[in-house]
């Protein structure tokens, strides 16, 4: 592992407490993105595959899953793109959670960061009221719904990541 942190600093004191809806939701989503990436900072590929209890959930799987989530909501739904999903496998619907032996944490983090960059480009120049080009279950979707849903998705999985990381090396906290 490199001595260079995987996660740039994030200052929680910059929260837009008096911001409009778009600023607040965007900040909360970025905060949870930061927390998730911080949970894998400094761990090895072996540790990234550690599970707890009867679950097959791993930090590597969570990073990969959230890359797919970002790709789906901002690429497929919002932009209406038809790009193949990362780690697509017709025989394993949850392939993002089931890495193969050659899959690495560094590659997964790079993919997630790329998807986050695309999402930030979209949201920085698009109204919260904008309608997606694509649809979800044949229904129209606003950017507002996508953003709030991703805050929920990240928050839930950051809780999972906290439990996993604590079981690996005792590191806790947001």
């Amino acid at each position: 592992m490199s001595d260079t942190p995987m996660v740039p600093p994030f200052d929680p004191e910059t929260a837009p407490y008096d911001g409009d809806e778009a600023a607040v939701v965007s900040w909360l989503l970025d905060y949870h993105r930061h927390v998730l990436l911080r949970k894998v900072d400094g761990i090895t590929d072996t540790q990234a595959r550690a599970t707890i209890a009867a679950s097959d959930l791993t930090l590597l799987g969570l990073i990969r899953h959230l890359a797919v989530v970002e790709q789906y909501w901002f690429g497929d739904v919002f932009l209406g793109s038809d790009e193949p999903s990362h780690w697509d496998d017709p025989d394993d619907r949850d392939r993002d959670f089931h890495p193969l032996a050659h899959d690495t944490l560094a590659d997964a983090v790079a993919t997630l960061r790329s998807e986050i960059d695309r999402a930030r480009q979209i949201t920085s120049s698009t109204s919260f009221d904008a309608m997606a080009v694509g649809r979800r279950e044949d229904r129209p979707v606003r950017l507002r719904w996508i953003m709030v849903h991703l805050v929920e998705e990240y928050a839930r999985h950051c809780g999972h990541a906290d439990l996993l990381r604590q079981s690996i090396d005792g590191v806790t906290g947001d």
Side-chain angles (χ1 to χ4, degrees):
M1 293 256 31
S2 162
D3 289 338
T4 305
M6 295 171 77
V7 184
F10 186 89
D11 183 3
E13 297 303 318
T14 64
Y17 295 120
D18 62 347
D20 64 13
E21 180 184 22
V24 170
V25 173
S26 294
W27 187 90
L28 286 169
L29 180 54
D30 277 343
Y31 171 74
H32 288 298
R33 287 168 170 159
H34 169 80
V35 168
L36 182 71
L37 287 168
R38 211 185 60 181
K39 291 296 173 185
V40 299
D41 193 24
I43 66 168
T44 66
D45 280 322
T46 300
Q47 290 171 321
R49 294 169 182 276
T51 62
I52 55 175
S55 173
D56 65 352
L57 195 61
T58 66
L59 288 171
L60 177 56
L62 287 172
I63 294 292
R64 289 161 49 105
H65 173 67
L66 284 158
V68 169
V69 166
E70 294 264 2
Q71 178 188 29
Y72 172 75
W73 283 106
F74 290 105
D76 296 358
V77 175
F78 193 75
L79 296 178
S81 68
D82 193 20
E83 57 197 47
S85 176
H86 300 292
W87 308 290
D88 215 5
D89 184 340
D91 297 325
D92 184 358
R93 184 169 179 227
D94 292 325
R95 171 78 167 81
D96 46 337
F97 285 114
H98 305 136
L100 301 177
H102 67 276
D103 294 325
T104 67
L105 179 59
D107 288 343
V109 167
T111 301
L112 176 58
R113 283 190 174 157
S114 175
E115 292 298 338
I116 288 171
D117 288 345
R118 174 170 66 171
R120 285 182 180 146
Q121 286 177 327
I122 292 166
T123 60
S124 70
S125 61
T126 307
S127 165
F128 249 35
D129 289 322
M131 294 301 290
V133 173
R135 298 171 74 82
R136 167 71 176 192
E137 297 175 3
D138 203 32
R139 295 177 57 198
V141 182
R142 287 193 193 280
L143 180 58
R144 171 183 284 104
W145 195 94
I146 293 170
M147 293 290 289
V148 172
H149 173 66
L150 261 68
V151 169
E152 173 272 328
E153 183 94 11
Y154 269 92
R156 181 166 33 98
H157 290 313
C158 283
H160 297 137
D162 197 40
L163 291 170
L164 288 161
R165 181 64 190 254
Q166 185 175 9
S167 74
I168 291 167
D169 63 7
V171 172
T172 61
D174 63 351

